[in-house]
Amino acid sequence: MSKVSSRPASSPVPSSVRTEPAAAPRVTNAVRPQAPYPVADGMDVSKAGTRPPVSLDVPPPRQAQAQAVTRRDGRAQDGKRTIRVETGVADGPWGSTVHQYIEIRVKPLDLGIAPGQLQAELDRASAEKLADDEKAYGADMRAAGYASLQEWSKAQGYYGSPSHVAWAEAASARTGGQIPADWWMRFDPFGGTAGNGPNILPTGEYPGVASRIAMCHDTDWDLGRYFGAGPLSKLRGAENAQDLGPLGLNPLLGGDLYTFGHADWDVTYGEEVQRSGR
């Protein structure tokens, strides 16, 4: 997650976004570059590892590695783009299959970055993110035996997981596709989880309630903090990022924690039954 608060995270209030879970495992910038995740047919993304469900009421997936990006729709009438990522497949009744998914609808922002300036802006943002993360998590990271948050996220099985891919794809859609999803994954290795970086809240990882908040809050926090764009733009240039408060946002900076969602975002954890042969 993008938050850099050094004090223990407080328990979240359930989000208004819709629910229905599925199993899934666990980018802040990396110290060393990460190869782009493999893509087949431009849609399927392979997973580095698996994690057990974080909720006892989540049915175990038959294919824990299923994570196809099954939808990337352009703008609808309400101006939002749709991302859907398959998170698992389970056996259903009478030979059917239950396909679990994360669907995120998001309204794109104009970052105001000229194409020729994009790489320089991404390099600047990455350097600033590394500095923030060092203040907040550096000591804990090294004590745990990791050289970067990306390495830590991979060890936990979150990096490249279905929920991480869904978050990164949605973050890219939030920028109108200007910043690609693979960059977001490297930039925020715990993006889409609720808590303080690698210190994840009990319901802060997919399919937990707090993770539905983090899917949109993490993206807008990163855009506000490092690009001065979007609803949380007051985070840009704020001092002592490691002390920004609950979920990494000081209420004095316009502190919307997205506890009850945000008008620019719709996050659904759902499932659909498909009959055999379909």
Side-chain angles (χ1 to χ4, degrees), residues 13-37:
V13 180
S15 164
S16 64
V17 286
R18 303 182 292 275
T19 66
E20 281 180 63
R26 185 67 296 321
V27 127
T28 301
N29 17 35
V31 170
R32 49 181 179 258
Q34 167 69 17
Y37 51 81

Side-chain angles (χ1 to χ4, degrees), residues 1-3 27-28 83 85 102 104 129 158 161-174 181-193 211 213-223 265:
M1 183 171 197
S2 60
K3 313 311 168 289
V27 127
T28 301
I83 296 296
V85 173
I102 298 171
I104 303 175
K129 185 76 162 63
Y158 182 70
S161 68
S163 52
H164 193 209
V165 169
W167 171 80
E169 290 282 352
S172 179
R174 183 62 155 160
D182 61 326
W183 184 87
W184 281 110
M185 290 175 65
R186 295 190 300 271
F187 184 74
D188 207 340
F190 289 99
T193 64
S211 73
I213 301 170
M215 284 288 181
C216 47
H217 185 268
D218 272 15
T219 300
D220 284 359
W221 198 97
D222 283 342
L223 288 172
W265 294 83

Side-chain angles (χ1 to χ4, degrees), residues 90-153:
D91 292 322
W94 302 293
S96 64
T97 55
V98 180
H99 292 253
Q100 295 127 357
Y101 62 85
I102 298 171
E103 183 173 285
I104 303 175
R105 300 180 65 251
V106 57
K107 185 173 293 186
L109 297 174
D110 182 1
L111 302 186
I113 302 174
Q117 294 297 315
L118 180 60
Q119 189 58 55
E121 285 295 290
L122 297 184
D123 291 344
R124 173 199 54 76
S126 294
E128 292 181 6
K129 185 76 162 63
L130 279 172
D132 276 351
D133 290 341
E134 174 60 29
K135 289 181 180 179
Y137 316 122
D140 289 344
M141 181 175 67
R142 286 184 288 275
Y146 302 111
S148 69
L149 288 187
Q150 184 180 115
E151 184 179 308
W152 199 343
S153 179

